[in-house]
Amino acid sequence: MHALLAFLQSAERLKDTLRSGRTAMGRPESTAEHTWRLCLLAMLLERDLPGVDHHRLLKICMLHDLGEAISGDVPAPAQGADDGRHARERDGFEELCSELPRDLHEEFLELYDDYAQGRSIEAQFAKGLDKLETMLQHVAGKNTPGFDYAFNLGYGIEATSRHPLLVRLRRIVDEETRISMTGPT
């Protein structure tokens, strides 16, 4: 029990890991808040995802950014393919999980690696929904002047193209992005 509580206390750092997105009130969003809303989105879509292990999907969603509690968040527009971010985040994730009982440690690492590599249908949905939640926050947030809404239109296309439901959601989010870019008509 001590190891579980120690892990939970370490994971609390995710609440103070800020992202570039803003809340509707204009406050910087935390990675923990992003994770919560991603999980809520996955829950809302449960009946639309037959054949998906929803428990596994939620676990992946809960764990996917946990390494950022150690490494910090890199805003999506600043991410690069060779920026070392994935290795830093996985190292941070491993550090957080190091004191867990061996079976949980192995399970969490397997879920984390599945997400990173997109092996399972659950990981693919988690990745697509992660991108969509980020984009939705961009259009919901009270952003700073000059915010680049157009970024959304090219962001996460591969991850949001893997299933008809993700494609449908993407169309809606893209339309909301266009409205944010030009203002309501």
Side-chain angles (χ1 to χ4, degrees):
M1 284 297 136
H2 289 287
L4 299 180
L5 294 178
F7 169 80
L8 187 64
Q9 294 297 70
S10 294
E12 191 272 344
R13 294 171 63 176
L14 207 59
K15 292 180 180 182
D16 289 321
T17 302
L18 299 181
R19 294 168 54 91
S20 62
R22 300 278 176 166
T23 67
M25 299 297 289
R27 175 181 56 75
E29 173 194 35
S30 77
T31 303
E33 291 167 320
H34 158 69
T35 298
W36 166 78
R37 208 164 89 130
L38 171 60
C39 290
L40 187 59
L41 176 58
M43 285 175 52
L44 289 170
L45 297 173
E46 182 174 359
R47 66 180 165 199
D48 297 305
L49 299 173
V52 171
D53 180 340
H54 298 285
H55 189 233
R56 181 178 179 84
L57 173 60
L58 284 172
K59 284 181 175 184
I60 291 170
C61 289
M62 284 295 301
L63 297 174
H64 85 286
D65 274 342
L66 194 54
E68 291 181 12
I70 303 294
S71 69
D73 179 66
V74 176
Q79 294 175 5
D82 297 326
D83 62 7
R85 178 178 50 89
H86 294 296
R88 286 191 307 276
E89 288 179 12
R90 190 178 193 288
D91 289 347
F93 186 80
E94 277 226 59
E95 182 180 328
L96 283 172
C97 293
S98 65
E99 298 299 319
L100 284 173
R102 185 171 178 76
D103 61 332
L104 274 179
H105 183 218
E106 290 175 3
E107 177 190 359
F108 284 14
L109 282 176
E110 189 277 324
L111 291 165
Y112 186 90
D113 289 340
D114 183 14
Y115 175 81
Q117 297 163 15
R119 292 186 306 244
S120 70
I121 187 73
E122 293 81 12
Q124 292 170 19
F125 268 109
K127 197 170 285 273
L129 295 175
D130 173 50
K131 304 304 184 204
L132 291 166
E133 194 289 324
T134 296
M135 295 162 57
L136 283 165
Q137 190 61 51
H138 288 165
V139 297
K142 183 177 179 182
N143 299 305
T144 56
F147 183 83
D148 182 14
Y149 290 100
F151 170 80
N152 274 7
L153 298 175
Y155 178 62
I157 290 175
E158 181 181 344
T160 59
S161 298
R162 293 187 170 178
H163 187 275
L165 177 64
L166 293 172
V167 170
R168 203 164 87 221
L169 288 168
R170 175 71 193 230
R171 279 193 210 112
I172 295 167
V173 176
D174 282 351
E175 182 56 33
E176 289 187 25
T177 296
R178 287 185 189 91
I179 291 168
S180 294
M181 291 169 65
T182 60
T185 56

